[in-house]
């Protein structure tokens, strides 16, 4: 079974401070991990995915298979980073490219 | 940039009525999906569709649900006899299909279904 856990429902940080959103997963096969973001009144959109190994808008995420984690980090948060962030998992063994989502973390960046 | 579109943005229906939620996936994409999010809960997978047939469905996707690609552009979700617990935001998504499970899924803006 696939499971994604985001332990923080809300993260509140000041502009310029580092931010880290935690994501832990449970999956027995070969996972692919994603971070999706939903800005106010906008659609879910991909922020980054493990396979691309890139930094988007200053965010990075490292897949740690030993700790089964895919935490999202940004060294200096900006006000425009305020949004809902969802960690999601798919896998080679998961039929139909099914995505399993975590519960989401709301990030509020204060000026 | 191409986007997934969904209509209507909000649908209100009476319990027991049938509803059809419509989606237009990105034109060159081969995989289509429906997800839903009940207020305050996780985004949940309902069904994926490829090559004109269901590729995978969740246990939520029971006999009251069906999907169809009636023409070359639309992808629909039908709920035959709505229940109060079907009230949720329904998201359509599509992906290219070339990378399989590693593909990015592109989401529509959602349809908010309210069952009274």
């Amino acid at each position: 079974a696939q499971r994604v856990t985001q332990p923080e429902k809300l993260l509140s940080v000041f502009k310029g401070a580092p931010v880290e959103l935690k994501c832990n997963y449970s999956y027995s096969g070969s996972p692919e991990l994603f971070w999706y973001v939903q800005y106010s009144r906008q659609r879910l959109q991909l922020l980054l995915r493990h396979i691309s190994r890139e930094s988007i808008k200053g965010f990075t995420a490292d897949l740690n298979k030993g700790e089964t984690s895919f935490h999202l980090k940004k060294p200096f948060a900006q006000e425009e980073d305020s949004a809902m962030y969802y960690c999601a998992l798919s896998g080679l063994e998961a039929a139909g490219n099914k995505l399993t989502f975590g519960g989401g973390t709301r990030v509020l960046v204060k000026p | 940039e191409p986007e997934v579109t969904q209509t209507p943005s909000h649908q209100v229906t009476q319990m027991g009525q049938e509803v059809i939620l419509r989606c237009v996936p990105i034109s060159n994409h081969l995989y289509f999906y429906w997800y839903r999010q009940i207020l305050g809960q996780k985004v949940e997978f309902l069904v994926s569709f490829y090559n004109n047939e269901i590729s995978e469905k969740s246990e939520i996707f029971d006999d009251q649900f069906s999907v169809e690609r009636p023409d070359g552009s639309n992808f629909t979700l039908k709920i035959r006899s709505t229940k109060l617990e079907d009230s949720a935001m329904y998201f359509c998504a599509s992906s290219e299909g070339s990378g399989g499970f590693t593909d990015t899924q592109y989401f529509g803006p959602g349809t908010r279904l309210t069952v009274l």
Side-chain angles (χ1 to χ4, degrees):
Chain A
Q2 301 173 211
R3 187 176 179 87
V4 177
T5 303
Q6 294 179 248
E8 305 119 340
K9 288 194 183 304
L10 174 66
L11 273 181
S12 183
V13 299
F14 285 102
K15 177 183 170 182
V19 63
E20 180 178 23
L21 289 74
K22 291 186 169 45
C23 172
N24 288 92
Y25 67 90
S26 173
Y27 184 66
S28 56
S30 302
E32 176 59 25
L33 277 297
F34 304 82
W35 277 100
Y36 278 84
V37 60
Q38 189 171 31
Y39 300 103
S40 180
R41 287 186 289 279
Q42 294 188 27
R43 65 185 66 204
L44 273 166
Q45 56 187 276
L46 180 74
L47 179 62
L48 55 80
R49 52 183 183 153
H50 164 250
I51 198 169
S52 300
R53 299 183 188 277
E54 55 191 348
S55 172
I56 305 291
K57 299 185 180 183
F59 285 96
T60 59
D62 291 315
L63 179 62
N64 185 324
K65 290 189 177 181
E67 295 184 359
T68 59
S69 68
F70 190 58
H71 303 328
L72 183 70
K73 301 176 186 179
K74 184 169 182 176
F76 307 104
Q78 303 300 312
E79 289 182 68
E80 54 265 31
D81 297 328
S82 295
M84 195 74 180
Y85 291 80
Y86 294 94
C87 183
L89 175 150
S90 185
L92 179 63
E93 297 79 7
N97 304 338
K98 164 187 170 180
L99 275 177
T100 298
F101 284 85
T105 297
R106 182 169 299 284
V107 171
L108 177 61
V109 181
K110 296 178 285 189
Chain B
E1 187 174 326
E3 289 185 328
V4 176
T5 60
Q6 289 185 245
T7 53
S9 57
H10 192 187
Q11 173 91 48
V12 181
T13 190
Q14 295 290 325
M15 189 169 57
Q17 295 297 303
E18 175 182 288
V19 294
I20 298 176
L21 309 183
R22 302 180 194 280
C23 168
V24 179
I26 294 172
S27 63
N28 63 336
H29 285 186
L30 301 179
Y31 262 98
F32 316 121
Y33 312 85
W34 285 101
Y35 293 82
R36 79 172 185 189
Q37 186 175 30
I38 295 170
L39 190 62
Q41 297 187 24
K42 292 185 178 185
V43 177
E44 302 173 288
F45 170 81
L46 292 178
V47 66
S48 60
F49 191 86
Y50 173 74
N51 201 24
N52 279 319
E53 60 184 27
I54 289 175
S55 178
E56 177 70 5
K57 61 182 181 179
S58 72
E59 57 195 26
I60 303 168
F61 195 87
D62 60 22
D63 291 345
Q64 68 163 149
F65 290 94
S66 62
V67 289
E68 194 177 30
R69 185 143 162 91
D71 53 42
S73 59
N74 289 284
F75 179 52
T76 62
L77 175 69
K78 182 191 289 187
I79 309 175
R80 253 179 284 282
S81 177
T82 50
K83 305 172 193 167
L84 295 176
E85 54 264 37
D86 294 327
S87 295
M89 182 72 94
Y90 288 80
F91 295 105
C92 176
S94 69
S95 64
E96 287 183 3
S98 57
F101 73 99
T102 65
D103 275 345
T104 298
Q105 293 184 24
Y106 294 85
F107 284 78
T111 292
R112 180 164 297 286
L113 177 65
T114 301
V115 182
L116 303 176

